[in-house]
Amino acid sequence: MYRFDREAYEKRVAWFRQARLGMFIHWGLYALPARGEWVRSNERMPLEDYQRYFDAFTAPDCDPRQWAQAAKAAGMRYMVFTAKHHDGFCLFDSKLTDYTSVHTPCHRDFVAEYVTAAREAGLKVGLYYSLLDWHHPDYPHFGDRYHPMRDDPRYSNENRDFSRYLDYLHGQVRELCTNYGKIDLMWFDFSYDNPDFPMRAETWRGGELVSMVRTLQPDILIDNRLEVSGEGGFGSLWTGDPGPCHGDFACPEQLIPPEGIRDRQGRDMVWEACITMNNNWGYTRDDGYFKPADMVIRKLVECVSKGGNLLLNVGPDGRGRIPRQSLEVLEKLGAWMAVNGESVYGCGKAELPKPEFGRFTRKGNRLYCHIYENSIGPLPILGIREEDVAEMRLLSTYAQVPIARSWVRSNYPDLVFADLGPDPVLPDPVDTVLEITLRR
Ligand code: GLC
């Protein structure tokens, strides 16, 4: 059985801490109704009514290479792809069911294509696997908290054998961990409470599941949703006494934790905020509420400044294309990352108070000032002293930035001011990054 070991843990999370930015991809049959990945549950849709999307799943424009290229160009270092979502539809060639993309009209194993594409692009490979399954006959239906047929007594659970579902779940995870080469990250989703049948780590035979995954893929990272669900705390890693199902990182959803996440002992935890670009994970025709690229850039910086990662979602449409609005955001993010990536990769908390002008990130003796708002006159950088400053430059051009000597700052002899020049408009109005090399 798997046992926690802090040294091994620190080693396996090292790449993840470096990466800071990843792409989440939610895609499946639900892209066709185009009302989000919860469509069956939200609309209490019976399986038979969902079948039309299976029969129409041709995905003519799906090219995982393009997804991977878009991610890479945006500065992302890893991807997480929904191998199976709650609807139970599998995007891989599973020997345990015919409810897979291989049996739809397109006859493709998208996990295989995705894994190859991600590796070719030099990205780490993550798979999302839903613990919930609204297709499997042995998964609780009536009375479950989320199942599409939860309110319909005709779907009673009398002849359902949950242990059969567990064999299936374990078997599929074994397939994913065996048939596709090295998998860097497994994103299980999620445990929850049913009134008389709580879906917890033990319910999924979580200890056994984790042991199998870690045996088949010794370096893999696992999220913490076997134990928790984005609600209900941060799991046993947080307590300082990690159980067999502990996650390697916390995964707050649609929220950036106000001050980062520390465990009970006050140690910084590894975390990743998963965030949609609009308001849905799966492709949604009527959701045009996309976050502007400027906002996404600053939110990435916010995550890093608090010691975490951003997993930014795209929901390819029914043809398999990433929506145009998402591609535009990714392009702008990529342009910014291309010159400012050093202030993101491998960076974390600066352990300085949040500055008025924006945010700090830090990596070793490099302090990055993310300037969103210019000052009148020279820019004060609170928390450091002049004798600590070896060099200052703009990250985007490496242009030297002098320490300001103007008389206007003379009443503050102990503060360091940067001289950003005569232009009141910042070179990059979204986030101008000033790199300060500290002597210690
Ligand atoms: C959720 C949702 C889901 C989504 C996921 C991403 O808990 O159930 O649809 O895939 O979180 O974080």
Side-chain angles (χ1 to χ4, degrees), residues 272-286:
E272 167 200 78
C274 53
I275 311 275
T276 52
M277 280 211 199
N278 50 0
N279 292 313
N280 283 273
W281 300 99
Y283 177 71
T284 302
R285 189 197 67 177
D286 293 340

Side-chain angles (χ1 to χ4, degrees), residues 380-402:
I381 300 157
L382 275 61
I384 58 170
R385 292 174 313 173
E386 184 167 341
E387 57 267 34
D388 298 336
V389 177
E391 256 343 309
M392 297 205 289
R393 61 185 183 177
L394 289 181
L395 193 51
S396 57
T397 55
Y398 283 178
Q400 185 182 25
V401 172

Side-chain angles (χ1 to χ4, degrees), residues 159-174:
N159 295 316
R160 304 188 197 283
D161 178 356
F162 190 66
S163 69
R164 241 180 349 217
Y165 172 64
L166 290 184
D167 293 342
Y168 173 82
L169 183 162
H170 284 232
Q172 285 208 318
V173 172
R174 177 180 290 281

Side-chain angles (χ1 to χ4, degrees), residues 24 26 37-38 85-86 128 187 189-190 225 253 274 281:
F24 215 164
H26 276 74
E37 76 288 354
W38 276 71
H85 206 267
H86 307 335
Y128 169 110
W187 223 99
D189 194 34
F190 58 83
R225 292 195 180 186
E253 175 170 336
C274 53
W281 300 99

Side-chain angles (χ1 to χ4, degrees), residues 201-231:
E202 317 81 66
T203 320
W204 314 110
R205 298 201 315 246
E208 187 190 322
L209 185 66
V210 167
S211 289
M212 174 183 74
V213 171
R214 296 205 192 275
T215 305
L216 294 169
Q217 298 279 349
D219 300 327
I220 203 166
L221 301 189
I222 306 178
D223 71 334
N224 70 353
R225 292 195 180 186
L226 271 169
E227 288 186 329
V228 288
S229 67
E231 59 178 30

